Amino acid sequence: MNNSSGVKEEQMLLASVEDKFRRASENYMMTSTGFLNMHQRTLVTELWKKIGRGQGEIRLEFVGGYEDAERTVACFVPDYEENPEAPICVIRVNPPSGGRALTHRDYLGSLTGLGLKRDVIGDILVDEDSADIVVLNEISDFIIMNYSKAGRTSFHVELKDIEEIKIPELRTKEIKDTVASLRVDSVVSSAFGMSRSNAAEAVRKGLVYVNSMQILKTDMQVNEDDRIVLRGKGKACLKEVGSQTRKGRIFILIERYI
């Protein structure tokens, strides 16, 4: 995708979001977008700071099925809706045992092969014996009726409420280090085993996200329990910020997902 087409897509997204907000405000009803990646979520959050200011009757919520979802739906919710029903559900895929293990790419490729656009598909959580695919409610019936194969592997699918989502057990490793400061480039450097200059470059390129928000400034401070994503490298969490060494460096404990 070239830069001009990317800018145009972002403009179209934000125009659509403004329309969703206007409809929610004028009709006092919940509206929602399709699934957003983390960069798009950041754009929507920044837009909300402008158009949502002073609009106490409508609030913005992001839902993706679970706390650490990378792809989320933006919901504009009237204040009378305390616990609104999320516009998403889960398609559980049960492949036959003993066959080739299907990957995230297999599932996504077979879904888009059905003609589905990426914005109707959320996170795809692959476990040892099944996969949970988060989708918009509006296309769940179509998937149930038409989705039965990925490559040469046939399988059974079933519809589940979003509350029934299965989160695969994540493996982690602890990284103990010291940093000169809690700047995001310093913490990314420690978390992902890269030089400070490469970490800073990743931030400037828009590859780093903290708590699902895209970070572009290398001097942003990271706090304890913040979750960090480096696109193409993985996820980490700053679990502890400790005392300082005699030379003024800060002890940190990072939990890296592997």
Side-chain angles (χ1 to χ4, degrees), residues 146-163:
N146 296 280
Y147 192 43
S148 61
K149 180 181 291 188
R152 297 181 179 179
T153 303
S154 298
F155 43 63
H156 169 69
V157 298
E158 54 184 329
L159 179 64
K160 297 288 185 180
D161 290 335
I162 196 62
E163 292 79 11

Side-chain angles (χ1 to χ4, degrees), residues 16 20 23-24 30-34 63 73-76 87 136 138:
S16 173
K20 299 283 187 183
R23 286 168 49 206
M30 188 176 89
T31 61
S32 58
T33 67
V63 295
V73 169
C75 299
F76 296 102
L136 295 182
E138 63 195 53

Side-chain angles (χ1 to χ4, degrees), residues 89-124:
C89 60
V90 169
I91 302 295
R92 181 160 299 158
V93 181
N94 298 290
S97 59
R100 181 178 72 86
L102 296 175
T103 66
H104 182 283
R105 179 177 295 182
D106 292 321
Y107 290 115
L108 180 58
S110 54
L111 285 166
T112 55
L114 292 176
L116 296 174
K117 294 182 178 180
R118 191 66 179 96
D119 65 356
V120 302
I121 306 167
D123 282 4
I124 301 174

Side-chain angles (χ1 to χ4, degrees), residues 200-211:
E201 183 66 15
V203 173
R204 287 190 287 267
K205 286 183 176 179
L207 301 178
V208 175
Y209 297 80
V210 176
N211 299 328

Side-chain angles (χ1 to χ4, degrees), residues 129 135 166:
D129 57 356
V135 301
K166 288 178 16 180

Side-chain angles (χ1 to χ4, degrees), residues 11 55 101 103-104 119 123 152 156 165 171 178 182-183 202 232 256:
Q11 291 173 340
Q55 300 291 333
T103 66
H104 182 283
D119 65 356
D123 282 4
R152 297 181 179 179
H156 169 69
I165 191 170
R171 294 184 300 151
T178 63
L182 295 177
R183 285 169 50 122
R256 168 85 181 271

